[in-house]
Amino acid sequence: MTGLPPPTLRLRLDRDALAENWRTLDAMSGAARAGAAVKANCYGLGVDDCVPVLRDAGCRDFFVAHWGEVPDVIAHVPAEQVAVLHGPGNFEEAQYARASGAVPVIDSLRQAKLWSETGGGPCHVMIDTGINRLGISPQEIGDPVLASLDIQVLMSHLACADEDSTKNAQQLDAFREAIAKLPHRETSLANSAGIALGEEFHLDLTRPGLALYGGVPSPALEGRIAQVAYPEAQVIQTRRLRAGDTVGYNATFTASEDMRVGVVSLGYADGILRAWGGAHFAYGETWLPILGKVSMDMIVIDLTAAPELQEGDWVELPYHLPDAARQTSLSQYELLTVLGHRFNRAA
Ligand SMILES: *Cc1c(COP(=O)(O)O)cnc(C)c1O
């Protein structure tokens, strides 16, 4: 049997930019060391492609959300360097934590009790200082079950790190009170944007995610973080429109004169949502506007500016995340994590 032909869409990763972003964030973390949030398949970019790069750059602390994300990460790094943010929610998860060696983040008194009763061992603890998602509340810190834990990293998470908000200082104060009360080895508070808030937020370990992958969540990171992900796709057909012809579902674009268009092998099933309508692709330096609605597997573009473009040529969707977020009204996080499974990520 002949081999499967390569996909007509690819996610080009700039691995040097990924490594450099980690080094930049590690340097900006001052005396603290930077870890890496690698949850959601490295924010959609691919664990197998990104984790080795982060490891080789020097990263030793990796964070995933789910237990199901552990096997792919520990294929590349030692299990004790991997922390699971959702923690052990039931007996099977606690068992799996021990069997795999990945470190649970204890998020409630119930999880603390479960971890302790199933044998205890090294763990991290999340304190909720005001985001009101997962974490132990400051009022619960005196509970004796916490005294029985072997806490490696005491953590909290900022709600408004990407804003100049008084909530940041309030959360830092609340976290400092928890730090004073609970025995632990190390402390960690800052995500990407938190690193830019300054030295007092760095503590021992920072946990950037978005900025590793090219996101710019705060003005202090502008110009210091490089784009990592470049979605590209083939033009699989070119065609000529006559004046009055329409393009795509609901015929929302009508040609005012004869023109040549191309069908790009990319659609909302690949995470290029309809919010991209009205944007453009790039062919070298040339901009090629999107015409009509984005379909599941196709996007039609105007080829007027690129008469030399042929079927089989590749075009790029401009994916500098701050610009793409303004263009689409999607968040930089969403723009990364929606990227679909059909992309050739090995490219
Ligand atoms: C996702 C996550 C991070 C990383 O946040 P970014 O904003 O992507 O840098 C850090 N800590 C926790 C607890 C997280 O859930």
Side-chain angles (χ1 to χ4, degrees):
M1 210 183 93
T2 48
L4 191 65
T8 50
L9 64 168
R10 64 189 177 206
L11 191 62
R12 192 162 57 78
L13 291 184
D14 185 338
R15 290 170 175 77
D16 294 336
L18 175 62
E20 194 55 35
N21 289 343
W22 183 82
R23 284 190 286 265
T24 297
L25 293 160
D26 188 53
M28 286 183 75
S29 298
R33 66 184 189 281
V38 297
K39 58 196 180 187
N41 198 28
C42 285
Y43 288 44
L45 302 190
V47 160
D48 289 341
D49 295 300
C50 296
V51 168
V53 172
L54 294 165
R55 175 199 64 204
D56 294 347
C59 184
R60 294 291 173 266
D61 307 82
F62 300 87
F63 297 87
V64 295
H66 294 256
W67 293 100
E69 297 178 312
V70 168
D72 288 349
V73 178
I74 65 177
H76 304 289
V77 300
E80 65 268 22
Q81 296 183 357
V82 180
V84 180
L85 292 163
H86 284 190
N90 55 45
F91 184 74
E92 291 95 313
E93 291 183 350
Q95 292 282 83
Y96 180 76
R98 287 205 177 76
S100 66
V103 185
V105 177
I106 303 297
D107 288 310
S108 65
L109 295 182
R110 186 180 68 79
Q111 285 192 354
K113 194 160 170 284
L114 175 72
W115 185 244
S116 195
E117 285 175 359
T118 54
C123 64
H124 305 323
V125 166
M126 175 67 79
I127 304 297
D128 192 304
T129 53
I131 192 168
N132 281 303
R133 299 191 316 190
L134 292 175
I136 290 163
S137 304
Q139 313 83 267
E140 298 174 322
I141 284 174
D143 195 290
V145 71
L146 297 179
S148 71
L149 297 179
D150 176 10
I151 305 177
Q152 308 292 301
V153 182
L154 194 59
M155 300 173 24
S156 190
H157 192 58
L158 297 166
C160 306
D162 58 353
E163 295 176 77
D164 181 16
S165 163
T166 54
K167 184 134 187 136
N168 293 322
Q170 285 165 12
Q171 285 196 262
L172 179 59
D173 285 346
F175 191 40
R176 282 190 174 132
E177 284 183 32
I179 289 170
K181 288 180 189 155
L182 273 178
H184 59 272
R185 295 230 171 110
E186 296 187 297
T187 53
S188 175
L189 176 62
N191 61 350
S192 301
I195 292 171
L197 290 176
E199 204 182 341
E200 70 268 34
F201 287 84
H202 297 159
L203 304 171
D204 297 314
L205 171 66
T206 60
R207 307 187 306 269
L210 183 74
L212 295 172
Y213 311 109
V216 184
S218 91
L221 291 170
E222 258 163 45
R224 309 177 80 158
I225 294 297
Q227 184 175 342
V228 173
Y230 293 81
E232 298 173 343
Q234 264 182 3
V235 174
I236 52 176
Q237 190 173 118
T238 61
R239 57 195 306 122
R240 297 212 167 262
L241 303 186
R242 312 268 291 266
D245 284 349
T246 67
V247 169
Y249 286 119
N250 309 112
T252 60
F253 173 81
T254 305
S256 55
E257 55 196 273
D258 293 5
M259 65 189 292
R260 195 168 78 111
V261 302
V263 180
V264 180
S265 177
L266 204 56
Y268 58 75
D270 306 305
I272 311 306
L273 307 183
R274 286 207 163 152
W276 282 93
H280 59 267
F281 277 78
Y283 181 62
E285 300 290 298
T286 308
W287 282 16
L288 307 173
I290 292 173
L291 305 176
K293 285 189 179 177
V294 171
S295 298
M296 189 183 295
D297 320 299
M298 288 172 260
I299 297 174
V300 176
I301 55 175
D302 181 354
L303 295 183
T304 307
E308 72 282 20
L309 189 150
Q310 300 298 321
E311 289 179 354
D313 285 349
W314 291 79
V315 291
E316 176 188 328
L317 185 65
Y319 227 72
H320 174 65
L321 291 169
D323 293 343
R326 277 187 286 273
Q327 171 76 47
T328 59
S329 304
L330 298 170
S331 76
Q332 297 182 54
Y333 296 87
E334 291 167 314
L335 284 163
L336 287 169
T337 55
V338 288
L339 292 170
H341 301 294
R342 295 192 297 200
F343 280 102
N344 180 359
R345 284 173 165 75

